[in-house]
Amino acid sequence: MTAMSAPAPDRAPAGRSTLSVEDWRWPGSRSPRTCRDPGQGGYRATALISAVVVLILIIAMSFVPVPFVSWAPGRTVNVLASTDQGRPLIQVQGLPTRTSRAELRMTTVSMTTVDGRLSLVEALVAYWLPHRDVIQRDAIYPAGQSADEVKASEVQSMDTSQRDAVVAALRAAGQPVTEMPMIDAVTVGGPSYNTLVPGDLIQKVDGTAVQSVADVQRAIRRHRVGDTVAMAVLRGGAARNVQVVSSASRSDPRTPLIGVSLSTGYRYAPTVTFGVPSSITGPSAGLVLSLGVYQTIASTDLLGTLNVAGTGEISPDGTIGAIGGIQEKIAGAQRDGARIFLVPSANCRDVQGVSTRMTLVKVSTLKDAISALQKLRQGTDAKEIPHC
């Protein structure tokens, strides 16, 4: 029996020619009509181009601004220290003062500026990193306000905070403070423009002493539109007499206006100035500034060598209000060596679960803060102090 082997797969049977795909043509055609298969090489090129396009889109989207701002621990400032020019950050004239070995730090949040933008990558990084947060932009910067308007509002908030901090501290230290009606704002181009200025304290209207905002409003309404209103004011401690010609209200042509808004101001003997860096704005330093003034003028040393930080808005009566960014401020204070942190009582819910080596003291008023610091300096167990 003769053994037969199967032909190799790549050989044609004897007597037959091979025909490749490339050689195939229609009968009678003059040139080959090739049928080509793109194969894996073509698919790979298409996939590579698609991947590159997607990658470019992802990178581009990563740098597109998103409607958020980031919060991170900011700088702290010891308000009992001196400025870069060597002057006390808190200066008081007209009362005996003391220097202090203690540290009393105002805390800040480093955040996206009003004219800055946060990219998607930056937002994701801020969200995942510890002691950072991402906040809806409209919750921080009101929609419809320009960058200049927002900055002006923040500066005004700091100015108001400093004024209220002084009043609260003077009252806590037993210094006399008198409430008076005050020019809060002046309408540009109005009857009082270039005559009255914000901060003027009103003593008299038409020769009659006034004690409140309501007294001033009643005195102006007694006039007719076009009458001259005579006012005696205190500006920077100096008395001035001014006259303003009233104009008609837009809503009622019979009602006289002098183009100002009024609020309650305060008169006191000492002069208090602050050297807070101009880059720090907003109202949340009120509590620490008030404690700094109190420490400077009080008859007894409140702080000794304590290292304290804190935050909180303050009103002229000493009430402490809640603020934002409390966790970032705690992180910044601990980083800079504070041992005690004053937390507004309304913010206690925001610090639940926060890990810190500092003693977190809960305060609702300036008097609460003073009392707690006195006890801590005397060595009272921190557990006996109100805390969050």
Side-chain angles (χ1 to χ4, degrees):
M1 179 179 293
T2 306
M4 298 180 60
S5 62
D10 55 347
R11 285 186 188 174
R16 300 179 62 179
S17 62
T18 60
L19 179 66
S20 68
V21 174
E22 288 77 3
D23 291 335
W24 181 86
R25 70 181 68 184
W26 288 104
S29 62
R30 296 182 180 178
S31 60
R33 185 169 180 176
T34 305
C35 297
R36 296 187 180 272
D37 183 357
Q40 294 184 355
Y43 288 126
R44 287 173 180 170
T46 302
L48 179 61
I49 293 172
S50 300
V52 170
V53 171
V54 171
L55 180 61
I56 292 173
L57 289 174
I58 291 174
I59 293 173
M61 290 178 62
S62 297
F63 292 95
V64 171
V66 293
F68 296 91
V69 297
S70 66
W71 282 4
R75 66 188 292 192
T76 67
V77 177
N78 180 12
V79 301
L80 300 178
S82 298
T83 64
D84 293 339
Q85 292 73 37
R87 295 188 294 270
L89 193 142
I90 297 175
Q91 296 185 71
V92 180
Q93 296 177 334
L95 289 174
T97 61
R98 72 163 52 81
T99 57
S100 180
R101 295 177 296 161
E103 290 190 5
L104 178 60
R105 294 186 172 275
M106 58 185 291
T107 53
T108 67
V109 171
S110 176
M111 62 191 300
T112 309
T113 60
V114 62
D115 48 3
R117 288 294 182 268
L118 193 69
S119 72
L120 178 60
V121 170
E122 291 171 324
L124 292 173
V125 169
Y127 180 80
W128 288 108
L129 287 178
H131 309 307
R132 293 174 183 260
D133 209 346
V134 178
I135 310 295
Q136 190 76 27
R137 186 177 181 85
D138 287 349
I140 307 300
Y141 301 127
Q145 287 191 0
S146 68
D148 289 341
E149 289 173 333
V150 171
K151 290 176 182 177
S153 176
E154 291 174 345
V155 170
Q156 183 178 9
S157 294
M158 172 57 84
D159 292 342
T160 301
S161 177
Q162 291 177 356
R163 182 197 68 189
D164 293 348
V166 171
V167 173
L170 291 174
R171 285 173 164 170
Q175 296 295 321
V177 176
T178 303
E179 293 187 1
M180 298 179 66
M182 182 185 74
I183 302 296
D184 192 53
V186 178
T187 303
V188 176
S192 297
Y193 189 59
N194 291 331
T195 302
L196 294 169
V197 299
D200 283 350
L201 297 173
I202 306 171
Q203 293 180 297
K204 297 179 181 180
V205 178
D206 299 321
T208 302
V210 289
Q211 306 295 327
S212 65
V213 169
D215 289 346
V216 176
Q217 292 170 334
R218 282 192 292 266
I220 294 172
R221 284 197 295 266
R222 283 195 286 266
H223 285 270
R224 294 182 177 179
V225 174
D227 284 353
T228 297
V229 180
M231 306 178 74
V233 302
L234 286 174
R235 183 179 302 168
R240 293 173 178 260
N241 293 313
V242 300
Q243 294 184 333
V244 179
V245 178
S246 65
S247 63
S249 165
R250 292 182 179 179
S251 59
D252 184 356
R254 297 170 298 177
T255 301
L257 297 176
I258 64 171
V260 299
S261 60
L262 303 170
S263 64
T264 300
Y266 304 90
R267 183 182 183 182
Y268 42 82
T271 300
V272 182
T273 56
F274 297 94
V276 177
S278 60
S279 59
I280 299 177
T281 57
S284 64
L287 168 60
V288 170
L289 292 175
S290 192
L291 281 171
V293 174
Y294 182 87
Q295 167 70 8
T296 302
I297 65 173
S299 56
T300 58
D301 185 354
L302 172 65
L303 299 175
T305 58
L306 294 178
N307 193 333
V308 182
T311 187
E313 294 189 39
I314 198 163
S315 63
D317 66 0
T319 301
I320 299 170
I323 54 83
I326 184 70
Q327 294 190 20
E328 288 78 12
K329 292 179 177 181
I330 288 174
Q334 180 168 285
R335 175 200 64 206
D336 291 347
R339 305 296 298 275
I340 300 164
F341 194 95
L342 304 176
V343 181
S345 58
N347 282 121
C348 277
R349 63 180 181 273
D350 302 319
V351 301
Q352 300 301 317
V354 171
S355 177
T356 177
R357 299 185 300 272
M358 297 184 296
T359 300
L360 302 183
V361 179
K362 179 175 73 173
V363 292
S364 299
T365 66
L366 179 60
K367 288 185 178 180
D368 289 345
I370 293 171
S371 175
L373 291 171
Q374 286 173 335
K375 292 176 180 178
L376 287 169
R377 190 190 172 192
Q378 294 167 0
T380 302
D381 189 336
K383 295 180 180 179
E384 299 180 20
I385 309 295
H387 60 279
C388 293

